[in-house]
């Protein structure tokens, strides 16, 4: 299982929020391109680029993400506020390996199916969970569909993966919710990228054992609580 550094951009700076709450940022770094380069220099095999401005309905950061993709020879997935086919086409044409869609995909599964069929193996569904419910609109609202309902909707779609961020433990540096992670991964009909609470190699090993394809790590990696580039098998659990 690969470890994937998150580059979350808000107000055109890299930030790390607690539970997705604006104003809770514990890390602020002014240059997203330099931050992405820092992880690439440490050997990161993949990048997770998140447009928090786009998720909150502000001016998006797609130009800087396209530049990161162009300048660094590392595959990347891009998400955050992506709600139209034109943006997906633009990002994939620019070299994004995967595009992450959340709010619109959950609210309009027919659109998700259309995008998955249009770009098979390149669309990631973001099924972020908060209190056991699917969280949408920058984690500010709960979706009408249940997690199980969504699993049934995507069962035959050619998705690249499902990204599950456990908002309840995101950015708190307290570790993962093992029971939640194992339950989600075991029931999901697609490959799962786990996110939220990874603060130790043991957390990563649990997710790998549960069958996760990857683990997105944010605050714990920025504060050197976890340093997967120093492991005997770097960036792998």
């Amino acid at each position: 299982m690969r470890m994937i550094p998150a580059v979350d951009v808000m107000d055109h700076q890299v930030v790390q929020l607690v539970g997705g709450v604006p104003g809770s940022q514990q890390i602020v770094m002014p240059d997203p391109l330099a931050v992405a380069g820092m992880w690439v220099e440490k050997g990161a095999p993949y990048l997770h680029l998140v447009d928090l401005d786009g998720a909150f309905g502000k001016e998006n950061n797609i130009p800087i993400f396209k530049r990161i993709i162009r300048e660094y020879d590392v595959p990347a997935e891009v998400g955050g506020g992506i709600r139209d086919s034109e943006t997906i086409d633009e990002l994939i044409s620019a070299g994004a390996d995967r595009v992450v869609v959340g709010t619109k995909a959950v609210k309009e599964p027919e659109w998700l199916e259309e995008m998955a069929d249009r770009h098979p193996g390149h669309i990631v569904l973001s099924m972020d969970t908060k209190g056991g419910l699917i969280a949408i609109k920058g984690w500010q609202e709960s979706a009408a569909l249940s997690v199980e309902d969504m699993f049934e909707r995507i069962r035959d779609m050619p998705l690249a993966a499902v990204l599950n961020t456990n908002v309840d433990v995101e950015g708190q540096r307290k570790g993962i919710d093992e029971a939640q992670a194992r339950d989600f991964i075991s029931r999901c009909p697609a490959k799962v990228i786990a996110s939220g609470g990874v603060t130790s190699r043991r957390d990563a090993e649990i997710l790998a054992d549960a069958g996760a394809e990857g683990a997105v790590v944010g605050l714990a990696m920025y504060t050197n609580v976890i340093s997967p580039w120093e492991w005997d098998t770097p960036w792998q659990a």
Side-chain angles (χ1 to χ4, degrees):
M1 182 191 75
R2 61 188 173 189
M3 305 293 287
I4 307 171
V7 181
D8 297 354
V9 181
M10 185 173 72
D11 296 329
H12 310 298
Q13 303 178 102
V14 175
V15 301
Q16 285 292 298
L17 306 180
V18 177
V21 178
S24 67
Q25 50 264 41
Q26 298 188 21
I27 296 291
V28 179
M29 303 173 78
D31 188 346
L33 186 72
V35 172
M38 173 184 72
W39 296 128
V40 172
E41 288 175 9
K42 290 180 180 291
Y46 207 88
L47 295 175
H48 180 74
L49 310 177
V50 182
D51 190 353
L52 293 175
D53 290 316
F56 293 126
K58 298 157 80 174
E59 181 184 359
N60 69 53
N61 293 279
I62 287 175
I64 188 64
F65 291 158
K66 289 169 69 174
R67 187 176 172 194
I68 288 170
I69 291 166
R70 184 172 65 250
E71 295 196 14
Y72 299 116
D73 188 25
V74 171
E77 59 191 19
V78 181
I82 298 173
R83 295 168 188 146
D84 61 82
S85 58
E86 292 78 14
T87 302
I88 294 173
D89 293 344
E90 177 185 0
L91 286 167
I92 291 177
S93 294
D97 180 53
R98 296 174 171 179
V99 176
V100 183
V101 291
T103 296
K104 182 167 182 173
V106 172
K107 296 179 76 172
E108 300 178 27
E110 297 81 6
W111 177 79
L112 172 63
E113 184 173 12
E114 179 186 345
M115 293 301 100
D117 288 339
R118 185 167 173 167
H119 299 288
H122 292 284
I123 302 298
V124 174
L125 168 63
S126 179
M127 281 182 66
D128 303 334
T129 49
K130 186 176 184 180
L133 303 174
I134 301 175
I136 58 174
K137 292 190 177 179
W139 302 342
Q140 304 303 302
E141 297 181 15
S142 295
L145 284 176
S146 69
V147 170
E148 196 59 46
D149 287 339
M150 201 65 208
F151 283 163
E152 286 303 313
R153 293 286 191 117
I154 67 172
R155 194 163 298 279
D156 297 319
M157 292 185 195
L159 295 171
V162 168
L163 170 68
N164 175 230
T165 300
N166 184 347
V167 182
D168 295 320
V169 296
E170 167 70 19
Q172 298 183 33
R173 288 181 287 186
K174 296 179 180 178
I176 64 170
D177 181 337
E178 180 177 353
Q180 183 275 339
R182 288 189 180 277
D183 177 66
F184 190 99
I185 293 167
S186 67
R187 291 191 295 124
C188 184
K191 295 177 181 178
V192 174
I193 303 167
S195 178
V198 179
T199 57
S200 68
R201 187 164 188 174
R202 178 60 182 153
D203 285 336
E205 289 170 345
I206 289 170
L207 292 173
D209 179 69
E213 180 204 63
V216 173
V217 188
L219 185 60
M221 201 176 286
Y222 281 90
T223 54
N224 292 311
V225 172
I226 183 172
S227 303
W229 54 91
E230 296 177 351
W231 295 352
D232 51 347
T233 306
W235 297 95
Q236 298 290 323

